Amino acid sequence: MSKVLVIGAGGVGSVAVHKMAQVSLTNPDIFSHITLASRRIVSCQKVAESVKARTGVTIDVAQVDADNVDETIALIEKVQPRLVVNLALPYQDLAIMDACLATRVDYLDTANYEPRDTAKFEYSWQWAYQERFKEAGIMALLGSGFDPGVTSVFASYIKKHLLDRIDTLDILDCNGGDHGQHFATNFNPEINIREVTAPSRHWEGGKWVEGPALKHRQAFDFDQVGSRNMYLMYHEELESLAKFYPEIKRIRFWMTFGDAYLKHLEVLQNVGMTRIDPVMYNGQEIIPLQFLKAVLPEPSSLGSTTKGKTNIGDIATGVKDGKQKTVYVLNVCDHEDAYAETGNQAVSYTTGVPAMIGAAMMLTGAWKGEGVFNIEQFDPDPFMDMLNQHGLPWQVKELDAPLDF
C-alpha cells in the first residue's frame, strides 16, 4: 500500500492529484490511496470532483493549516501516508518537514523555503535538516517540480549520457502562453513577484555574480513559440547544481517576460504595491503585495483562457570524447492540452506532473535514501522515462556552437 498525503490544492496540487489518480488506474500499488488537504477544504472538494469526473478515482479530502505543525502531525497520524507531498506555499516547507520528522514520514516538495518577511530563497534552511532526517530514517526530496526539478534532471541526464564534462549550463524558461488578462501571474502572485523582482544572480568562476533585477536581456528563438526576450534571473536550482556539479564553470537561469507584464510590474513597484513590509491602512496593518495578490486573477482560473505553449530546457556546452559539444534538452507543453486533461494551464501542469513522478520514484524505491536530497542526486533515467509516459515528452538537440552571450 502506498498512501500519499498531498498538501496544497492550487493548480499544481490539482495537476499532481489528477496524474496520481491516472497512474493508480494502471498501477494501484504506486498510489493506492490519495488524500488532498488544504487550508480551504472547498478547494480540495473541487479538485476531488474533477478527479472523479475525469478518472473515476475517488480521493479523500481534509482541512489543515500547514503553518500549524501540531495540526499537520495530527492529519499525518490520521491518514498514515508513506509520503507527504508538499505543494503548499514555500513559507510552509519547514513546518511540514517538522511534521514529517515527528511522524517519521518521507517528504517531497517543488520549491525551496523562503521566509515570509524576507524576499530570499535558498536551500540552507532545508539542507540543515540532513542529519535529523537521516537519524529518523526518512527521506526528503527537494525541488521535484520543473524548474527546479526537471531542469536539474536534464542536467544529470546530460552528464550521464551526452557530455563527459559540463563546462557551462544555461536554463531557459519560456512561457509563450497568452491568458488574455492585462496583468496576471501564472502561479501564486506573491511568490511570482518576489522572485521576479529579486536581484539577478548566477554562478561563474566558483562564485556568485549579482546584478540588478531584469536588466540583462537576450532574445532567443524558442521552438514552437518563436523569438522572445528572456532575462537573467536567480533561481534556486542554480544553488544545488553548483553544489553537486562543481565542475561547471558557469550556470545561468533565463526567463521570458512580455513588455506589457514588465510595464505593469514597473508601475506596481513604483507605487509600492510589491512591498512585503507592513503598512497601516484604516487602523490596521496590511502587506501591499498580499493585497495585490487578492485583487489579481487567481492563477488557477486562467486555464480556460490560456493559449500557446511553454518551452523549458537546458543548454549545456562541454566535452564529449575529447571534443567540444553543445546540447539542448527541452520540453514543449501546450496550455490547451494541459487544460483539456486536468483543468489547469501548462505552468501548473509542468510543475504538478514532475511532483507526481518524484513521488512515484520514492514510493517504488527507484530513488531512496535517508536524509535530505536534491533531485539531481539520483539516476535521471527512470524519471526521464516517466516524463515521456505522462505528458511531458522531451527532446535532445545538438547545437552547432555554444551560446554567444
Side-chain angles (χ1 to χ4, degrees):
M1 298 289 284
S2 296
K3 291 184 177 180
V4 61
L5 170 62
V6 179
I7 300 178
V12 174
S14 174
V15 171
V17 170
H18 277 85
K19 299 300 284 191
M20 289 174 183
Q22 289 177 15
V23 171
S24 74
L25 293 173
T26 55
N27 195 336
D29 291 336
I30 298 181
F31 299 107
S32 61
H33 188 275
I34 305 163
T35 300
L36 178 63
S38 178
R39 190 188 302 268
R40 297 179 65 250
I41 197 167
V42 65
S43 300
C44 301
Q45 291 167 337
K46 289 180 180 178
V47 173
E49 290 169 2
S50 177
V51 169
K52 181 68 172 179
R54 293 171 187 272
T55 69
V57 174
T58 299
I59 68 169
D60 286 345
V61 298
Q63 189 165 15
V64 68
D65 177 359
D67 289 314
N68 187 317
V69 176
D70 290 338
E71 195 173 314
T72 306
I73 289 172
L75 178 60
I76 294 172
E77 290 176 340
K78 178 182 177 182
V79 174
Q80 293 289 302
R82 281 185 55 194
L83 173 66
V84 172
V85 177
N86 169 19
L87 304 179
L89 296 174
Y91 313 139
Q92 297 164 320
D93 287 0
L94 302 188
I96 298 174
M97 290 180 77
D98 286 337
C100 287
L101 269 174
T103 53
R104 295 181 181 269
V105 174
D106 289 345
Y107 168 91
L108 176 149
D109 68 29
T110 62
N112 69 6
Y113 173 75
E114 59 179 286
R116 290 182 186 274
D117 56 357
T118 305
K120 180 181 182 181
F121 51 105
E122 60 183 48
Y123 278 116
S124 62
W125 290 286
Q126 292 177 279
W127 284 344
Y129 279 69
Q130 166 64 24
E131 289 305 316
R132 280 177 284 171
F133 266 70
K134 187 175 182 178
E135 290 171 5
I138 59 175
M139 174 180 170
L141 180 64
L142 308 183
S144 189
F146 206 105
D147 46 350
V150 174
T151 52
S152 297
V153 175
F154 282 173
S156 298
Y157 182 86
I158 290 168
K159 179 62 188 295
K160 182 176 180 180
H161 295 286
L162 305 178
L163 296 176
D164 299 324
R165 185 188 74 228
I166 302 175
D167 293 325
T168 64
L169 180 69
D170 284 87
I171 299 170
L172 281 58
D173 182 326
C174 171
N175 178 14
D178 182 0
H179 46 55
Q181 302 286 331
H182 292 296
F183 183 81
T185 61
N186 289 290
F187 61 95
N188 185 287
E190 189 176 353
I191 303 300
N192 176 268
I193 292 173
R194 284 165 61 118
E195 178 182 289
V196 172
T197 56
S200 71
R201 192 170 179 238
H202 74 277
W203 182 256
E204 187 166 3
K207 63 182 180 180
W208 293 107
V209 180
E210 289 199 359
L214 302 174
K215 293 300 182 183
H216 192 165
R217 181 181 71 184
Q218 294 288 341
F220 190 84
D221 189 10
F222 289 90
D223 182 33
Q224 300 184 53
V225 174
S227 181
R228 293 288 190 277
N229 287 328
M230 61 182 190
Y231 296 80
L232 188 66
M233 291 178 56
Y234 177 67
H235 225 240
E236 60 225 67
E237 63 263 48
L238 302 188
E239 182 182 16
S240 60
L241 286 167
K243 177 178 181 178
F244 298 115
Y245 289 95
E247 70 189 61
I248 305 179
K249 299 179 178 66
R250 188 189 70 209
I251 313 173
R252 302 181 296 188
F253 181 92
W254 305 84
M255 184 174 283
T256 63
F257 300 100
D259 292 342
Y261 176 94
L262 293 177
K263 178 56 66 178
H264 279 84
L265 184 61
E266 179 184 6
V267 172
L268 291 168
Q269 283 184 284
N270 288 343
V271 299
M273 286 303 300
T274 62
R275 289 171 52 179
I276 61 173
D277 56 310
V279 299
M280 294 300 298
Y281 177 74
N282 280 352
Q284 65 182 49
E285 285 189 348
I286 66 166
I287 306 295
L289 183 54
Q290 292 179 356
F291 176 80
L292 177 62
K293 174 188 173 183
V295 300
L296 287 176
E298 170 61 38
S300 61
S301 71
L302 300 174
S304 62
T305 62
T306 304
K307 303 182 186 305
K309 298 178 180 181
T310 64
N311 179 320
I312 311 174
D314 293 9
I315 295 179
T317 294
V319 174
K320 180 67 173 178
D321 298 328
K323 298 180 180 179
Q324 187 183 75
K325 185 177 182 180
T326 299
V327 295
Y328 187 11
V329 184
L330 68 145
N331 162 263
V332 177
C333 184
D334 188 284
H335 282 285
E336 292 178 273
D337 290 347
Y339 182 75
E341 182 185 349
T342 68
N344 297 275
Q345 36 86 352
V347 174
S348 295
Y349 191 90
T350 54
T351 305
V353 173
M356 178 278 289
I357 296 175
M361 294 294 99
M362 296 175 70
L363 292 170
T364 60
W367 290 355
K368 56 186 175 181
E370 296 177 353
V372 176
F373 300 89
N374 287 82
I375 198 166
E376 60 265 42
Q377 291 179 262
F378 295 98
D379 180 9
D381 292 355
F383 191 100
M384 296 285 279
D385 289 343
M386 285 195 73
L387 286 173
N388 280 332
Q389 296 165 18
H390 295 285
L392 293 177
W394 46 274
Q395 55 183 295
V396 177
K397 298 182 177 183
E398 186 170 343
L399 303 186
D400 294 333
L403 293 175
D404 59 1
F405 52 82

